[in-house]
Amino acid sequence: MSLFAAQPAIPAGRIELVHLRYRAVLTARWRVLWIAGIFSVVAFAALVRIVWLGFAGDAPRRTSLEEALLPPRGEITDRHGVPLARAFPAYALWFNPAAMGDSGAPLVRSPQEVARALVRIFPDMDESRLAERLASGRSGYLRRRLLPEEANAVFRLGEVALEIPRESDRHYPQGTLGAHILGYVVENEGGKLGMEQVLEERLTHPDLRSQPVALSIDVRVQGALEDELRKGMLATNAIGAAGIVLDVDSGEVMAMASLPEFDPNTAGASGADNVFNRVTNGVYELGSTFKPITVAAAIDAGVVRDLSRTWDATPVQVGRRTLKDLKPKGNGLNVPQALVYSSNTVTARVADELGAERLRRTLIDLGMDQRPFIELPARGKPLFPRGNWARITNMTVGYGHGIAVTPLHLASAYAALVNGGIWRPATLMKIDAKDAPRGRRVFKESTSSRMRQMLRMIAMYGTGRSADAAGYRIGGKTGSAEKNSGGVYNKTSLVSSFAAAFPLDRPRYVVVVVMDEPRGTAASSFQRTAAYTAAPVVGKLVPRIGPMLDVLPDARRDVDISDLRYLVEGPK
């Protein structure tokens, strides 16, 4: 048998099977190579990206522990440390239509169903408008300042497009209290109005924002002032009201209110209603409240030496103008009577003898020719007569007409009138007594002493009687003036004011209250003048704030008016 005998032939089917297996293995290898290649490309691209970011991208931010723990904006407090404005972590409700990717509808349920569910959580939201907003597909805030329980309720709805980002928010825990003092904050823009704007750099400074900024305000006094002002405004149907409590020795503002108010918690980029500050930005003719200033200037100048002198109280004819008293008290009055009964004619004659230049100089020394001195950005420009004053101008300015200033101007002037004669700028910052500005002398100390006597007599015998409160030794002057619009006085629009100080035997504080367009109501005995509208507010306010300011009622003490009493009461 031959070794090279023919081998049996391999079946064609088997050859085909081997060929198919080889092709399958080859295909699998190519697939592995492609996949490995794709992964290599992706890895290479990622590596390139990382390298590029390392050289060209932003470096990681280094945040100190102190910066991480501190709020982005410092806290504002009252003089006793009560928080007025602070930053705190908050939640917001953000609608993100792209949260579901390219799956189509941004919401699992219909916009109407989601809106209905949200209104159950936030009853004050409008369901139809909310549903419309959700259906529009526009991203944006649906609500700010969510409570933690509200955020949890939204999360339980299971809607991915309803996101709840955590953010830092500015909160005003006292609500509307002191709104015109504080102002508000707009996200990414900083402080707007008030001390938020004034202190912007201080509140955001990395090295300073950990320390609260103390204002001069006493939140208790602020609350009482706003409460009594609001009651007075509503009782007389006035369109607005303004009030200030000022420390006569330091110039610190203990309280300042302008009504109607606004809520800084809801103010935003679009602003807010009622942000106009009537105390620092509103200029008014404050009428007879100027009479004590004119008399003080005349005493200083030696024009008024004998307070018992009888002055002509009949109408004054100046050219075609006739100046007269609203309620004449006879043909002759002495100076204390002229203040007690608020005589325009006697004050005009005193101003005439004083002369325009000396009265003008006194008002300039009191800062009434410039915007009020205070930190706030909203400060009204006074309407101060320019150039050489005509005789009629000097006479009318003497009793508060023809000149318009802010209530803050008046408060600072009355502080100088009663504190010994020193004018100081007002401030909203808490200061130590030793750091109080020296100020400038406007009146002699003896003149200030005389004015304290006569201001007290106005509250005892005259138009300020409704402001007197037992034991607090209040004194002050009423003022009522028609509003001037385009050079024409409107007899139906009145500004009534009362400027007061207490306790007048040792003055501590000045209080100014202004009512804007009060109406004669049953509460004001159907009268619009200050004796019935502004003065009663002071009479109710002082007993509330006195104990807060360490001024207690004492019926055993009072201003000594024994040498002047007979000039008003007459001989006994």
Side-chain angles (χ1 to χ4, degrees), residues 64-103:
S64 66
L65 179 61
E66 182 182 9
E67 186 177 353
L69 294 176
L70 287 176
R73 194 176 184 89
E75 185 174 284
I76 300 176
T77 72
D78 85 334
R79 65 187 303 107
H80 301 298
V82 178
L84 300 176
R86 58 177 20 167
F88 76 109
Y91 297 97
L93 178 55
W94 176 271
F95 179 48
N96 181 13
M100 296 281 282
D102 298 327
S103 61

Short mmCIF file of all heavy atoms in Angstrom, two decimals, residues 64-103:
data_model
loop_
_atom_site.label_atom_id
_atom_site.label_comp_id
_atom_site.label_asym_id
_atom_site.label_seq_id
_atom_site.Cartn_x
_atom_site.Cartn_y
_atom_site.Cartn_z
N SER A 64 -11.96 81.35 51.47
CA SER A 64 -11.57 81.17 52.86
C SER A 64 -12.77 80.69 53.66
O SER A 64 -13.92 80.87 53.26
CB SER A 64 -11.05 82.49 53.43
OG SER A 64 -12.08 83.44 53.51
N LEU A 65 -12.48 80.09 54.80
CA LEU A 65 -13.56 79.64 55.67
C LEU A 65 -14.42 80.81 56.12
O LEU A 65 -15.65 80.72 56.17
CB LEU A 65 -12.97 78.92 56.89
CG LEU A 65 -13.99 78.39 57.91
CD1 LEU A 65 -14.92 77.37 57.27
CD2 LEU A 65 -13.26 77.79 59.11
N GLU A 66 -13.76 81.95 56.40
CA GLU A 66 -14.50 83.14 56.84
C GLU A 66 -15.46 83.62 55.76
O GLU A 66 -16.61 83.93 56.02
CB GLU A 66 -13.51 84.25 57.20
CG GLU A 66 -14.19 85.52 57.71
CD GLU A 66 -13.19 86.61 58.03
OE1 GLU A 66 -12.01 86.45 57.68
OE2 GLU A 66 -13.60 87.62 58.61
N GLU A 67 -14.96 83.65 54.49
CA GLU A 67 -15.80 84.12 53.40
C GLU A 67 -16.96 83.16 53.15
O GLU A 67 -18.07 83.58 52.81
CB GLU A 67 -14.96 84.27 52.13
CG GLU A 67 -15.73 84.89 50.97
CD GLU A 67 -14.85 85.10 49.75
OE1 GLU A 67 -13.62 84.90 49.86
OE2 GLU A 67 -15.39 85.47 48.71
N ALA A 68 -16.70 81.88 53.32
CA ALA A 68 -17.75 80.89 53.09
C ALA A 68 -18.84 80.98 54.14
O ALA A 68 -20.01 80.72 53.85
CB ALA A 68 -17.14 79.48 53.08
N LEU A 69 -18.48 81.33 55.36
CA LEU A 69 -19.45 81.37 56.44
C LEU A 69 -20.19 82.69 56.55
O LEU A 69 -21.31 82.75 57.04
CB LEU A 69 -18.75 81.07 57.78
CG LEU A 69 -18.17 79.66 57.94
CD1 LEU A 69 -17.44 79.55 59.27
CD2 LEU A 69 -19.28 78.62 57.85
N LEU A 70 -19.58 83.78 56.07
CA LEU A 70 -20.21 85.09 56.20
C LEU A 70 -21.24 85.30 55.12
O LEU A 70 -21.10 84.82 53.99
CB LEU A 70 -19.15 86.19 56.09
CG LEU A 70 -18.23 86.37 57.30
CD1 LEU A 70 -17.19 87.44 57.00
CD2 LEU A 70 -19.03 86.75 58.54
N PRO A 71 -22.31 86.06 55.42
CA PRO A 71 -23.29 86.40 54.39
C PRO A 71 -22.67 87.37 53.40
O PRO A 71 -21.69 88.06 53.71
CB PRO A 71 -24.42 87.06 55.19
CG PRO A 71 -23.76 87.61 56.41
CD PRO A 71 -22.66 86.64 56.74
N PRO A 72 -23.22 87.46 52.19
CA PRO A 72 -22.63 88.36 51.18
C PRO A 72 -22.84 89.83 51.49
O PRO A 72 -22.22 90.68 50.86
CB PRO A 72 -23.36 87.96 49.89
CG PRO A 72 -24.66 87.39 50.36
CD PRO A 72 -24.36 86.70 51.65
N ARG A 73 -23.71 90.15 52.43
CA ARG A 73 -24.00 91.54 52.77
C ARG A 73 -24.17 91.65 54.29
O ARG A 73 -24.81 90.80 54.92
CB ARG A 73 -25.27 91.99 52.06
CG ARG A 73 -25.50 93.50 52.07
CD ARG A 73 -26.73 93.87 51.24
NE ARG A 73 -26.90 95.31 51.18
CZ ARG A 73 -26.36 96.08 50.26
NH1 ARG A 73 -25.61 95.55 49.32
NH2 ARG A 73 -26.55 97.38 50.27
N GLY A 74 -23.60 92.72 54.86
CA GLY A 74 -23.64 92.89 56.30
C GLY A 74 -25.02 93.23 56.83
O GLY A 74 -25.94 93.58 56.08
N GLU A 75 -25.14 93.16 58.14
CA GLU A 75 -26.42 93.40 58.80
C GLU A 75 -26.53 94.85 59.26
O GLU A 75 -25.55 95.49 59.62
CB GLU A 75 -26.51 92.46 60.01
CG GLU A 75 -27.82 92.49 60.75
CD GLU A 75 -27.90 91.44 61.84
OE1 GLU A 75 -28.10 90.24 61.51
OE2 GLU A 75 -27.72 91.80 63.02
N ILE A 76 -27.76 95.38 59.21
CA ILE A 76 -28.06 96.71 59.75
C ILE A 76 -28.94 96.52 60.98
O ILE A 76 -29.92 95.76 60.93
CB ILE A 76 -28.79 97.59 58.71
CG1 ILE A 76 -27.92 97.77 57.45
CG2 ILE A 76 -29.12 98.95 59.30
CD1 ILE A 76 -28.62 98.55 56.35
N THR A 77 -28.59 97.21 62.06
CA THR A 77 -29.37 97.10 63.29
C THR A 77 -29.79 98.48 63.77
O THR A 77 -29.31 99.51 63.29
CB THR A 77 -28.56 96.41 64.41
OG1 THR A 77 -27.54 97.32 64.87
CG2 THR A 77 -27.92 95.12 63.92
N ASP A 78 -30.69 98.50 64.76
CA ASP A 78 -31.02 99.76 65.41
C ASP A 78 -29.95 100.04 66.46
O ASP A 78 -28.97 99.28 66.61
CB ASP A 78 -32.44 99.75 65.98
CG ASP A 78 -32.53 99.13 67.37
OD1 ASP A 78 -31.69 98.28 67.71
OD2 ASP A 78 -33.46 99.49 68.12
N ARG A 79 -30.10 101.09 67.23
CA ARG A 79 -29.06 101.48 68.18
C ARG A 79 -28.87 100.46 69.30
O ARG A 79 -27.82 100.44 69.96
CB ARG A 79 -29.35 102.86 68.75
CG ARG A 79 -30.60 102.97 69.58
CD ARG A 79 -30.91 104.43 69.96
NE ARG A 79 -29.83 105.07 70.68
CZ ARG A 79 -29.04 106.00 70.17
NH1 ARG A 79 -29.21 106.40 68.91
NH2 ARG A 79 -28.08 106.55 70.90
N HIS A 80 -29.83 99.58 69.51
CA HIS A 80 -29.74 98.58 70.57
C HIS A 80 -29.43 97.18 70.03
O HIS A 80 -29.49 96.20 70.77
CB HIS A 80 -31.04 98.53 71.37
CG HIS A 80 -31.39 99.84 72.03
ND1 HIS A 80 -30.58 100.43 72.97
CD2 HIS A 80 -32.44 100.68 71.85
CE1 HIS A 80 -31.13 101.57 73.36
NE2 HIS A 80 -32.25 101.75 72.69
N GLY A 81 -29.12 97.09 68.74
CA GLY A 81 -28.75 95.80 68.17
C GLY A 81 -29.90 95.01 67.60
O GLY A 81 -29.70 93.86 67.16
N VAL A 82 -31.10 95.56 67.57
CA VAL A 82 -32.24 94.86 66.97
C VAL A 82 -32.07 94.85 65.45
O VAL A 82 -31.87 95.91 64.85
CB VAL A 82 -33.57 95.55 67.35
CG1 VAL A 82 -34.74 94.84 66.68
CG2 VAL A 82 -33.74 95.57 68.85
N PRO A 83 -32.13 93.67 64.81
CA PRO A 83 -31.87 93.60 63.36
C PRO A 83 -32.95 94.33 62.55
O PRO A 83 -34.14 94.15 62.78
CB PRO A 83 -31.88 92.10 63.07
CG PRO A 83 -32.63 91.48 64.19
CD PRO A 83 -32.38 92.33 65.39
N LEU A 84 -32.50 95.14 61.62
CA LEU A 84 -33.39 95.85 60.70
C LEU A 84 -33.27 95.31 59.28
O LEU A 84 -34.24 95.36 58.52
CB LEU A 84 -33.08 97.35 60.71
CG LEU A 84 -33.22 98.08 62.04
CD1 LEU A 84 -32.78 99.53 61.90
CD2 LEU A 84 -34.66 98.02 62.54
N ALA A 85 -32.08 94.85 58.92
CA ALA A 85 -31.85 94.28 57.58
C ALA A 85 -30.76 93.24 57.70
O ALA A 85 -29.71 93.50 58.30
CB ALA A 85 -31.46 95.37 56.59
N ARG A 86 -31.00 92.07 57.13
CA ARG A 86 -30.00 91.02 57.21
C ARG A 86 -30.12 90.09 56.00
O ARG A 86 -31.17 89.99 55.38
CB ARG A 86 -30.14 90.21 58.50
CG ARG A 86 -31.47 89.58 58.67
CD ARG A 86 -31.65 88.69 59.91
NE ARG A 86 -30.72 88.90 60.98
CZ ARG A 86 -30.87 88.40 62.20
NH1 ARG A 86 -31.97 87.67 62.48
NH2 ARG A 86 -29.98 88.61 63.15
N ALA A 87 -29.00 89.43 55.67
CA ALA A 87 -28.99 88.44 54.59
C ALA A 87 -29.20 87.06 55.19
O ALA A 87 -28.71 86.76 56.28
CB ALA A 87 -27.66 88.49 53.85
N PHE A 88 -29.95 86.22 54.49
CA PHE A 88 -30.18 84.87 54.99
C PHE A 88 -30.39 83.93 53.82
O PHE A 88 -30.83 84.34 52.74
CB PHE A 88 -31.38 84.83 55.95
CG PHE A 88 -32.71 84.90 55.26
CD1 PHE A 88 -33.55 83.79 55.19
CD2 PHE A 88 -33.14 86.08 54.66
CE1 PHE A 88 -34.76 83.86 54.55
CE2 PHE A 88 -34.36 86.16 54.04
CZ PHE A 88 -35.18 85.03 53.97
N PRO A 89 -30.03 82.64 53.99
CA PRO A 89 -30.24 81.68 52.91
C PRO A 89 -31.73 81.44 52.69
O PRO A 89 -32.48 81.23 53.65
CB PRO A 89 -29.53 80.42 53.41
CG PRO A 89 -29.49 80.58 54.90
CD PRO A 89 -29.40 82.04 55.17
N ALA A 90 -32.15 81.49 51.44
CA ALA A 90 -33.57 81.34 51.12
C ALA A 90 -33.73 80.41 49.93
O ALA A 90 -32.76 80.06 49.24
CB ALA A 90 -34.19 82.71 50.84
N TYR A 91 -34.96 80.02 49.68
CA TYR A 91 -35.29 79.20 48.52
C TYR A 91 -36.13 80.02 47.55
O TYR A 91 -36.85 80.94 47.94
CB TYR A 91 -36.08 77.96 48.95
CG TYR A 91 -35.33 77.03 49.87
CD1 TYR A 91 -35.50 77.09 51.24
CD2 TYR A 91 -34.44 76.08 49.36
CE1 TYR A 91 -34.81 76.24 52.09
CE2 TYR A 91 -33.74 75.23 50.19
CZ TYR A 91 -33.94 75.31 51.56
OH TYR A 91 -33.25 74.47 52.39
N ALA A 92 -36.01 79.66 46.27
CA ALA A 92 -36.83 80.29 45.24
C ALA A 92 -37.47 79.19 44.40
O ALA A 92 -37.02 78.03 44.41
CB ALA A 92 -35.98 81.20 44.36
N LEU A 93 -38.52 79.53 43.68
CA LEU A 93 -39.19 78.59 42.79
C LEU A 93 -38.91 79.03 41.36
O LEU A 93 -39.37 80.10 40.92
CB LEU A 93 -40.70 78.57 43.06
CG LEU A 93 -41.55 77.66 42.15
CD1 LEU A 93 -41.03 76.23 42.18
CD2 LEU A 93 -43.01 77.72 42.57
N TRP A 94 -38.14 78.23 40.65
CA TRP A 94 -37.70 78.56 39.29
C TRP A 94 -38.30 77.55 38.31
O TRP A 94 -38.26 76.36 38.54
CB TRP A 94 -36.17 78.52 39.23
CG TRP A 94 -35.59 78.76 37.87
CD1 TRP A 94 -35.32 77.82 36.91
CD2 TRP A 94 -35.21 80.01 37.30
NE1 TRP A 94 -34.79 78.40 35.79
CE2 TRP A 94 -34.71 79.75 36.00
CE3 TRP A 94 -35.22 81.32 37.77
CZ2 TRP A 94 -34.24 80.76 35.17
CZ3 TRP A 94 -34.75 82.32 36.94
CH2 TRP A 94 -34.27 82.06 35.67
N PHE A 95 -38.84 78.05 37.20
CA PHE A 95 -39.40 77.18 36.16
C PHE A 95 -38.35 77.00 35.07
O PHE A 95 -37.93 77.97 34.43
CB PHE A 95 -40.67 77.79 35.58
CG PHE A 95 -41.30 76.97 34.48
CD1 PHE A 95 -41.50 75.60 34.64
CD2 PHE A 95 -41.68 77.57 33.28
CE1 PHE A 95 -42.07 74.84 33.64
CE2 PHE A 95 -42.26 76.82 32.27
CZ PHE A 95 -42.45 75.45 32.44
N ASN A 96 -37.90 75.74 34.87
CA ASN A 96 -36.88 75.42 33.88
C ASN A 96 -37.46 74.45 32.85
O ASN A 96 -37.43 73.23 33.05
CB ASN A 96 -35.66 74.81 34.56
CG ASN A 96 -34.56 74.47 33.56
OD1 ASN A 96 -34.60 74.90 32.41
ND2 ASN A 96 -33.58 73.70 34.00
N PRO A 97 -38.00 74.95 31.75
CA PRO A 97 -38.64 74.07 30.75
C PRO A 97 -37.67 73.07 30.13
O PRO A 97 -38.10 72.04 29.61
CB PRO A 97 -39.15 75.05 29.69
CG PRO A 97 -39.17 76.38 30.36
CD PRO A 97 -38.07 76.37 31.36
N ALA A 98 -36.37 73.34 30.17
CA ALA A 98 -35.38 72.45 29.55
C ALA A 98 -34.92 71.34 30.48
O ALA A 98 -34.04 70.55 30.12
CB ALA A 98 -34.18 73.26 29.08
N ALA A 99 -35.47 71.28 31.68
CA ALA A 99 -34.99 70.30 32.66
C ALA A 99 -35.22 68.86 32.21
O ALA A 99 -34.46 67.96 32.59
CB ALA A 99 -35.67 70.54 34.01
N MET A 100 -36.26 68.61 31.38
CA MET A 100 -36.58 67.25 30.91
C MET A 100 -35.81 66.89 29.65
O MET A 100 -36.04 65.84 29.07
CB MET A 100 -38.08 67.14 30.65
CG MET A 100 -38.93 67.32 31.90
SD MET A 100 -38.99 65.85 32.93
CE MET A 100 -40.18 64.86 32.01
N GLY A 101 -34.92 67.74 29.21
CA GLY A 101 -34.16 67.46 28.00
C GLY A 101 -35.01 67.62 26.75
O GLY A 101 -35.87 68.51 26.67
N ASP A 102 -34.80 66.73 25.78
CA ASP A 102 -35.52 66.81 24.50
C ASP A 102 -36.74 65.89 24.47
O ASP A 102 -37.20 65.45 23.41
CB ASP A 102 -34.58 66.43 23.34
CG ASP A 102 -33.40 67.38 23.24
OD1 ASP A 102 -33.60 68.57 23.55
OD2 ASP A 102 -32.30 66.93 22.86
N SER A 103 -37.29 65.62 25.64
CA SER A 103 -38.40 64.68 25.69
C SER A 103 -39.73 65.28 25.24
O SER A 103 -40.73 64.58 25.16
CB SER A 103 -38.55 64.14 27.12
OG SER A 103 -38.83 65.22 28.00
#
